[in-house]
Amino acid sequence: MKIPNTRPMRTILFILLATLSVSANAQLWERADQRSEIVSMKNALPVGGGRWAVMGPAGVGGDHFISVYNSDGSLAWEVVSPYAGDQNMGQVVLMPDSGLLCAGGYDGCAYFGPESRVTRYASDGTVLWEREIYPLNGVPLTMAAKGPISHVAAASPDSVYIMDLDGNVTGGFPVPTSEYVNGMVWASDSTLYMGRGTDLMLVGMDGTQLATAPVSYIEDMHWDGQELLVIRGDSVCRFTSDLDPLGCIFLPGVDSQTDNGFITSGNGLYVNTANGLYELDTNGVPSLAFPWPGLTNLTTTSCAVRNGTALAVGNTNIIGRNTG
């Protein structure tokens, strides 16, 4: 009896197993967080030492958290606070020393404020300083921006505060309530790009308007030192340093129910949308890096990228209970 040649079959099986192995190793680790009643992961940042920071609200009592994970997924340090630090109700930004700057209003669960707090954390979680701020009209702080050299900024919809790196308020200005600040990024150490009402503005540290351009509501902004990129509606729009328009390019997957925004990255420029992670080339043209998993009740809210590795965060809603 002739024994059949099984070498081709073994070769095919080896290729299949190798393919599955590569696919399995593409996801390094996964972690689910339930806490008490609800947890909602809103944003992620790459911090020093190969670590990742995740932000969002936890529980039903107005608590917000910053969790920093090691590269293997173990928890490095965490802070839970009643001061909001997630998108739309506060903000956490990455500092040049891999520390974090958090600005947000007091969340008493049923109400906000009136006091707000700005906190600067070292890369190991040590609190370097905290400052309480009372915005002009009692509207809590909703955003923050790191300065390129010696300043940081924190803002509510009607007030902007300029602080030095030790947390001392060195300037600021009110904003008319009709304009409503909805975005902010430093242009230089003495000027800021801001979304105010239906205008995109370049302003000085006293609020003086240096340049303007009409826009609809701004989702997010990114300044690369040469051009300002703005996510506006379903497009990425480019502007010169003086806010002269350079054109807009359609961005697939933008969804008003999703936190669309530029992703903090050690290399390249990325945008998170409802359906996936897009990389932008030097002309602002997007290409899909990879889609988000199409799992039932799963929403990917943000991502961070460093050295070719991505950390995605999101939420799963099962019978009214959220797991981050």
Side-chain angles (χ1 to χ4, degrees):
M1 177 179 176
K2 184 178 180 180
I3 299 175
N5 183 4
T6 60
R7 181 175 296 176
M9 186 62 69
R10 291 199 304 270
T11 302
I12 294 172
L13 180 60
F14 174 79
I15 293 173
L16 288 174
L17 289 174
T19 302
L20 291 173
S21 176
V22 170
S23 176
N25 289 334
Q27 181 170 323
L28 300 178
W29 53 266
E30 185 174 33
R31 184 184 182 98
D33 196 342
Q34 179 55 58
R35 316 227 174 188
S36 57
E37 293 295 327
I38 183 174
V39 62
S40 182
M41 292 180 173
K42 291 288 188 178
N43 201 11
L45 293 170
V47 293
R51 297 174 174 178
W52 308 91
V54 176
M55 287 71 68
V60 295
D63 288 333
H64 297 258
F65 69 91
I66 302 174
S67 298
V68 176
Y69 294 96
N70 295 311
S71 58
D72 62 359
S74 59
L75 184 66
W77 60 270
E78 181 177 61
V79 59
V80 178
S81 167
Y83 289 88
D86 57 296
Q87 293 169 337
N88 303 321
M89 291 189 293
Q91 190 174 16
V92 180
V93 296
L94 183 64
M95 296 294 287
D97 61 358
S98 288
L100 299 173
L101 182 74
C102 177
Y106 176 80
D107 183 1
C109 189
Y111 71 96
F112 269 102
E115 71 273 21
S116 295
R117 180 174 292 180
V118 182
T119 306
R120 184 177 176 187
Y121 297 94
S123 59
D124 62 357
T126 302
V127 176
L128 299 178
W129 50 262
E130 285 186 314
R131 298 289 184 270
E132 283 196 352
I133 291 177
Y134 290 80
L136 296 177
N137 294 321
V139 183
L141 297 177
T142 59
M143 64 197 76
K146 64 180 181 183
I149 301 175
S150 58
H151 293 93
V152 297
S156 67
D158 63 4
S159 315
V160 178
Y161 295 86
I162 309 298
M163 311 172 76
D164 64 24
L165 296 183
D166 293 320
N168 302 305
V169 176
T170 59
F173 50 90
V175 176
T177 54
S178 61
E179 293 184 0
Y180 197 89
V181 179
N182 57 32
M184 177 175 64
V185 64
W186 284 90
S188 69
D189 202 47
S190 59
T191 55
L192 286 158
Y193 290 117
M194 301 183 65
R196 284 169 52 175
T198 58
D199 287 319
L200 181 62
M201 298 182 182
L202 175 65
V203 302
M205 289 198 291
D206 60 355
T208 302
Q209 297 181 23
L210 305 176
T212 62
V215 294
S216 55
Y217 187 82
I218 295 172
E219 289 273 359
D220 201 5
M221 296 188 292
H222 174 79
W223 168 243
D224 66 4
Q226 300 294 325
E227 295 178 357
L228 180 69
L229 287 85
V230 176
I231 300 177
R232 183 180 70 182
D234 60 359
S235 303
V236 176
C237 300
R238 298 161 53 226
F239 297 85
T240 68
S241 58
D242 294 324
L243 299 184
D244 294 324
L246 296 174
C248 299
I249 298 175
F250 173 69
L251 178 66
V254 171
D255 182 346
S256 60
Q257 302 301 315
T258 304
D259 292 323
N260 309 294
F262 294 106
I263 298 303
T264 301
S265 166
N267 53 294
L269 181 59
Y270 298 84
V271 177
N272 173 54
T273 73
N275 66 356
L277 182 69
Y278 287 83
E279 184 172 10
L280 303 183
D281 66 14
T282 54
N283 295 316
V285 178
S287 60
L288 182 64
F290 54 80
W292 300 128
L295 303 178
T296 304
N297 297 321
L298 172 65
T299 301
T300 301
T301 55
S302 188
C303 183
V305 179
R306 175 178 50 208
N307 298 329
T309 302
L311 175 74
V313 296
N315 306 290
T316 303
N317 188 298
I318 301 175
I319 317 178
R321 291 172 63 88
N322 279 11
T323 297

